[in-house]
Structure formats: C-alpha cells, structure tokens
C-alpha cells in the first residue's frame, strides 16, 4: 500500500463527513441526503487509492437525482391516494419540521400528526378519514426515507469497491 498524501486524507475526511451528513439527511427533511452522499463518492474518487470511473459517477448521479425526485413526490402521491387534502400534505410537511425539535422519533411522529391535524383542519367531522390519510402520508414518508437510505448505502458500497479496486487491501489506520 502506498502512503496516503495529505490531499488524500483531506478528501477522505470530506468524503466521510459528506456521507455522515448525507445519511442523516436521508432521514431529516431539508437536507439533500443522497446528493451529499454522492458528493462524498466524488471526493473519494479523486484520491490516489480509489478507482471510481466517471461512468460510475455519472450513473450514480442519475440514480441519485431520480431518487430525490421520487422522494419528493411519493408522500404526496400516498396522501392523495388516501383522499387527503392539500391541508394534510402541508400539515405533514410542517409536522415533520416541527418534529425535528423532538429529535429522533419526533420527525416521524410530527409527520403523522401534521397530516392528521391538516386533514382535520380540512374536514373536522371525519376523524377516521383523517387517521387513514395520516397513515398513508406516513407510509409515503417512510417509503421515501427507505429509498434514500438504500441509495446512500449503495453509494457506500460503490465507494468500498472503488477503494478495493484502487489497491487498498488493508486499513490505512492500522
């Protein structure tokens, strides 16, 4: 194994930070999770011990863009499938951001409660329907999060294969 240059170390640190923030961003709305992970892959591709081709980077970028678009559309589709209103959709968005204050489970609970309250604002007479809409909205949110996380971990696998192909067979920290 060749010695890592200071540029290699800096790029790997940047890649690691981008992957970490990206994975968090796959769960927390407002952070572009998968694009940040792709940025980490891009940083790592410029190191001397990684072999990640431009073709692989472009394919990963296209997949990342598609996943982000789908992630932004799926919750609305699920909410509409359940007959949800615009208020339910807005409620789920607002609830998710308010849920950030609760950390951890707050994001998920906030999304559900936001859609529920939004639907009740639209029609306060049908609690059962509001619960169904909130469930479907939550299901759409979870689907989007899952898709983003799968994509982020796939990008990590691409990174590991690129490092392995670059000749790194043992840990640089050992």
């Amino acid at each position: 194994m060749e010695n890592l240059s200071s540029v290699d170390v800096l790029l790997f640190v940047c890649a690691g930070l981008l992957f970490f923030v990206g994975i968090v961003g796959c769960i927390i709305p407002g952070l572009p999770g998968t694009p940040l992970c792709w940025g980490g892959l891009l940083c790592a591709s410029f190191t001397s011990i990684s072999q990640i081709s431009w073709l692989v980077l472009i394919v990963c970028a296209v997949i990342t863009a598609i996943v982000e678009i789908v992630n932004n559309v799926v919750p609305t589709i699920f909410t509409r499938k359940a007959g949800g209103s615009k208020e339910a959709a807005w409620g789920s968005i607002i609830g998710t951001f308010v849920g950030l204050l609760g950390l951890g489970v707050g994001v998920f609970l906030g999304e559900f409660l936001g859609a529920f309250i939004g639907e009740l604002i639209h029609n306060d007479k049908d609690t059962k329907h509001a619960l169904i809409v909130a469930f479907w909205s939550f299901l759409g949110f979870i689907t989007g999060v899952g898709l983003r996380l799968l994509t982020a971990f796939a990008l990590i696998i691409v990174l590991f294969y690129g490092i392995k192909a670059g000749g790194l067979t043992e840990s640089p920290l050992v």
Side-chain angles (χ1 to χ4, degrees):
M1 178 179 87
E2 62 187 76
N3 290 333
L4 294 175
S5 72
S6 58
V7 173
D8 287 335
V9 172
L10 179 64
L11 287 170
F12 271 119
V13 168
C14 286
L17 288 173
L18 286 168
F19 270 105
F20 176 76
V21 175
I23 289 172
V24 171
C26 287
I27 300 167
I28 295 176
L31 287 175
T34 51
L36 287 171
C37 290
W38 182 85
L41 185 65
L42 181 65
C43 281
S45 73
F46 287 110
T47 64
S48 64
I49 60 167
S50 174
Q51 290 183 353
I52 302 170
S53 73
W54 283 104
L55 178 61
V56 169
L57 287 170
I58 290 168
V59 168
C60 288
V62 169
I63 291 169
T64 297
I66 291 169
V67 165
E68 283 299 305
I69 291 167
V70 167
N71 177 64
N72 289 315
V73 175
V74 165
T76 304
I77 291 171
F78 276 50
T79 303
R80 291 294 193 184
K81 177 179 174 41
S85 64
K86 289 180 185 176
E87 291 87 348
W90 277 107
S92 70
I93 293 167
I94 293 167
T96 302
F97 282 106
V98 170
L100 288 174
L101 301 174
L103 302 174
V105 109
V107 172
F108 301 104
L109 187 60
E111 196 283 334
F112 179 85
L113 288 176
F116 178 71
I117 292 168
E119 192 59 28
L120 283 179
I121 288 170
H122 177 72
N123 179 4
D124 65 353
K125 306 226 185 305
D126 197 351
T127 307
K128 182 179 176 185
H129 178 70
L131 280 172
I132 292 169
V133 168
F135 171 77
W136 277 96
S137 176
F138 179 74
L139 189 60
F141 177 74
I142 292 298
T143 301
V145 167
L147 183 60
R148 292 174 87 193
L149 284 172
L150 282 172
T151 303
F153 288 116
L155 292 172
I156 291 171
I157 291 169
V158 169
L159 171 65
F160 284 134
Y161 274 102
I163 291 171
K164 185 176 178 185
L168 183 62
T169 57
E170 58 188 63
S171 171
L173 302 176
V174 178

